[in-house]
Amino acid sequence: MSLNDLMYPLFVMSGENRKEEIVSMPGIFRLSIDLMLKEMEEAMKLGLGAFILFPAVSEELKDSHATYSYSPENFYLKALAEAKSHFPEAVIATDVAMDPYSSDGHDGLVEDGEILNDKSLPILSNMALAQAEAGADIIGPSDMMDGRVEYIREELDDAGYESVSIMSYTAKYASAFYGPFRDALESAPKFGDKKTYQMNPANKREAIIEAEMDESEGADILMVKPALAYMDVIHTLREESNLPIAAYNVSGEYAMVKAAAEKGWIDGDQVSEEILLGLKRAGADIILTYFAKEMAVRLSYRA
Ligand code: PBG
């Protein structure tokens, strides 16, 4: 496992000189753009080169159609642009889904208590286009609506963004491991759950079908999420596909290690390293992990 394999997720918020620790993710913060840039600079000095940004949006900016997501006012788009202009050599990935901006807290559009797949697609592609315009290298649809990779790919190509890649959340399971992330963004669903669009944890073959679909729709990278309880899926997609496979070592996986380490029950440094190594062994080419920076700090001591 090397630092080149790691992608470091950052939570961005509006304002200046703001830094709030996420209670359920010790060591991980919501940062205003200026402090996000500082964090990136430190991370890059340590040898990291890839980042994925998530927006923490305040409640009054949310609505049922997630309109703030592609508004020129959106601080997240400014964050992408600033990240790219300060660090042109960094790889900047985004998140495409309605939940951080949606007053319903769902990834797609809700009408009469139902998530509407097809009506969500134009909203998601508006979001993707705005992110590409802001300078993102990789668009990361995490919404799990059917057909969104093809829809977004076409819109990006039509607008001249052929070289912007799509990292599709191919096998994203309806998981309890996302809890701390939803705390970070205050993005938990206001009703129901995400089981109508995220995958059933019992199902492996669907992951293969989703991978084939995403590949034919034009995805450049396929992701499995969560990572730890789904290593078999990572391994299978690695065997079945020739695209790079990303594994998302999600918030709950980070929180478990931190909590046990705080209690002195495990050695958090060694356990996290073993986890990342395991994900690599399972076949992940890219690992999204909140451990990225501390891993980089440790490797710099060893160098
Ligand atoms: C939402 C999204 C989620 C994560 C990334 N994008 C949460 C969810 O689906 O509810 C979770 C990441 C993590 O837990 O670290 N579109």
Side-chain angles (χ1 to χ4, degrees):
M1 201 247 321
S2 93
L3 292 182
N4 292 332
D5 303 324
L6 306 184
M7 185 179 269
Y8 184 23
L10 297 170
F11 297 113
V12 199
M13 66 179 170
S14 62
E16 244 178 87
N17 198 24
R18 290 177 71 202
K19 178 174 182 169
E20 294 171 3
E21 189 164 35
I22 297 147
V23 177
S24 48
M25 302 176 74
I28 301 294
F29 299 82
R30 297 184 201 97
L31 301 169
S32 54
I33 296 176
D34 50 336
L35 298 188
M36 174 201 79
L37 293 171
K38 257 177 90 180
E39 181 69 8
M40 287 180 69
E41 188 179 354
E42 281 176 34
M44 291 189 62
K45 277 195 187 134
L46 292 164
L48 293 169
F51 301 88
I52 181 161
L53 275 45
F54 293 96
V57 180
S58 55
E59 209 55 43
E60 71 275 9
L61 294 170
K62 301 184 184 184
D63 62 23
S64 61
H65 283 65
T67 44
Y68 184 69
S69 65
Y70 49 88
S71 151
E73 300 298 308
N74 184 354
F75 70 86
Y76 179 70
L77 300 172
K78 286 191 196 117
L80 294 172
E82 295 260 329
K84 202 63 217 175
S85 73
H86 280 78
F87 309 108
E89 68 282 23
V91 173
I92 309 292
T94 71
D95 185 58
V96 170
M98 287 175 65
D99 57 334
Y101 306 98
S102 153
S103 43
D104 296 302
H106 276 284
D107 294 12
L109 181 66
V110 178
E111 266 175 35
D112 301 326
E114 255 188 83
I115 290 85
L116 300 181
N117 191 93
D118 292 5
K119 281 194 178 174
S120 303
L121 298 179
I123 300 172
L124 297 166
S125 83
N126 282 344
M127 209 182 292
L129 267 182
Q131 295 170 356
E133 244 167 70
D137 301 296
I138 300 178
I139 302 295
S142 70
D143 53 278
M144 293 306 277
M145 299 300 125
D146 289 333
R148 91 276 204 208
V149 172
E150 182 171 27
Y151 200 102
I152 291 172
R153 184 72 270 165
E154 273 180 17
E155 297 281 316
L156 288 175
D157 289 351
D158 286 351
Y161 297 112
E162 286 98 346
S163 60
V164 172
S165 303
I166 296 182
M167 172 167 69
S168 177
Y169 287 59
T170 297
K172 177 173 178 182
Y173 287 91
S175 170
F177 281 102
Y178 309 144
F181 176 95
R182 293 178 190 169
D183 292 345
L185 300 193
E186 291 171 348
S187 63
K190 299 286 165 33
F191 68 90
D193 52 42
K194 299 191 175 185
K195 289 183 184 159
T196 58
Y197 47 102
Q198 297 183 352
M199 285 167 47
N200 176 352
N203 202 332
K204 181 165 175 182
R205 271 174 299 185
E206 190 184 354
I208 303 172
I209 297 169
E210 293 280 353
E212 284 166 357
M213 279 185 346
D214 281 356
E215 203 163 333
S216 70
E217 289 183 31
D220 301 282
I221 302 169
L222 305 179
M223 190 200 291
V224 177
K225 169 182 177 190
L228 261 189
Y230 300 87
M231 283 203 188
D232 58 325
V233 181
I234 297 171
H235 178 70
T236 300
L237 292 199
R238 170 67 294 149
E239 307 263 287
E240 299 271 334
S241 173
N242 289 315
L243 289 178
I245 306 297
Y248 199 147
N249 176 216
V250 298
S251 58
E253 299 171 3
Y254 176 83
M256 289 193 305
V257 175
K258 287 290 169 186
E262 257 175 32
K263 282 183 170 279
W265 290 348
I266 59 171
D267 179 328
D269 289 357
Q270 285 194 38
V271 166
S272 57
E273 206 166 323
E274 198 171 322
I275 288 172
L276 299 180
L277 191 67
L279 296 176
K280 181 79 187 168
R281 197 187 61 238
D285 302 287
I286 301 166
I287 304 172
L288 291 81
T289 180
Y290 303 99
F291 291 116
K293 189 168 170 216
E294 52 175 78
M295 195 63 230
V297 169
R298 286 203 299 280
L299 288 183
S300 72
Y301 287 139
R302 274 176 229 166

